[in-house]
Amino acid sequence: MKRALSCALVAASLCGPAYAQAAKRGTAEGAIQGKRVTVDYGRPELKGRSLESLIAQLPEDRVWRAGADEVTILTTEGELSLDSLSGFSCSRSRRSCGGRIVAAGKYSVYVSAPQESDWSLILNSDPGIELGALAKAMDFSVPESAASLLWPHLEGYNMNRAHKVAGIAGTEVARVVMRPGTANPSVDPFTISLNPSGSNALTLTLALADRTWSVDLNGAR
């Protein structure tokens, strides 16, 4: 319970429920071969805090919700191939730098943010968890009017033995290392963008404070 409450107090809402101070929503849009790709997400703010202090609030599995409040959703009308940007050398010890094929559909978005290696974008077929069910799992209360809203799995992306929750790692569709970059000027609130990177690709970029993380979304070949 203490962990859930401490996360809830993080102004950037990186890890826990902060329904009383809902973040603004944002939408990134693009198209590949005439087929739309969109990302709907919450936009946490730094509010004077450092990015490092907020990242330190992540749960043990180091998986971030990629936004704030309601679950971040990527929707694609066509098949995609996810790739790290060309020219970036990433570790292939466990996860691929690219070539992850994703079918048309809707996916919840998470970010793996390990302390000492590259961050990765995660797409999962799980649509999120109703806020009422999340509140029951993590022992906090929400208004009845908000109970059916879909939120990311803050109780643990992987198995959470303390709350007896299995997690959703088993429904993961793709995980690809992102290329880190620098934002100048600094970005606040958190922003996701989709920008053309050729006739058959979009670059998906996450940005907060002075840092960015990017991956290419390529159309079906």
Side-chain angles (χ1 to χ4, degrees):
M1 179 62 176
K2 275 190 174 181
R3 174 63 183 167
L5 288 177
S6 66
C7 286
L9 295 174
V10 177
S13 194
L14 284 175
C15 53
Y19 184 75
Q21 296 180 342
K24 295 179 180 178
R25 301 296 292 178
T27 302
E29 299 181 341
I32 300 175
Q33 296 177 327
K35 296 182 178 180
R36 295 181 69 230
V37 180
T38 62
V39 181
D40 179 77
Y41 65 104
R43 305 190 67 192
E45 299 178 35
L46 292 173
K47 295 185 177 180
R49 293 168 170 80
S50 70
L51 178 58
E52 289 71 20
S53 68
L54 298 176
I55 293 172
Q57 297 292 324
L58 289 175
E60 185 177 357
D61 61 15
R62 304 291 297 179
V63 175
W64 176 41
R65 61 200 299 181
D69 300 333
E70 294 172 57
V71 65
T72 295
I73 293 291
L74 181 146
T75 304
T76 175
E77 293 181 341
E79 185 180 84
L80 298 175
S81 173
L82 278 62
D83 298 279
S84 295
L85 295 177
S86 60
F88 174 57
S89 176
C90 65
S91 171
R92 295 177 181 267
S93 58
R94 291 188 59 196
R95 302 291 184 178
S96 173
C97 284
R100 300 288 179 171
I101 304 300
V102 175
K106 289 188 176 182
Y107 302 93
S108 52
V109 181
Y110 295 86
V111 169
S112 173
Q115 290 180 307
E116 297 182 357
S117 59
D118 300 315
W119 287 24
S120 297
L121 180 76
I122 301 172
L123 298 184
N124 198 299
S125 61
D126 184 278
I129 181 172
E130 289 192 353
L131 186 56
L134 178 63
K136 183 177 180 180
M138 295 186 68
D139 191 23
F140 63 90
S141 60
V142 295
E144 184 176 349
S145 60
S148 62
L149 296 176
L150 290 175
W151 277 50
H153 284 264
L154 309 178
E155 78 281 20
Y157 186 85
N158 300 299
M159 177 68 186
N160 186 323
R161 298 187 185 281
H163 293 290
K164 298 181 180 179
V165 177
I168 60 169
T171 53
E172 184 172 304
V173 173
R175 181 182 297 218
V176 63
V177 171
M178 296 186 291
R179 178 177 178 172
T182 301
N184 187 13
S186 182
V187 176
D188 188 20
F190 173 66
T191 299
I192 297 178
S193 60
L194 285 167
N195 295 308
S197 55
S199 59
N200 192 38
L202 293 168
T203 296
L204 171 67
T205 299
L206 286 62
L208 183 61
D210 61 351
R211 298 174 65 184
T212 66
W213 305 267
S214 300
V215 62
D216 269 354
L217 308 180
N218 296 291
R221 292 176 172 83

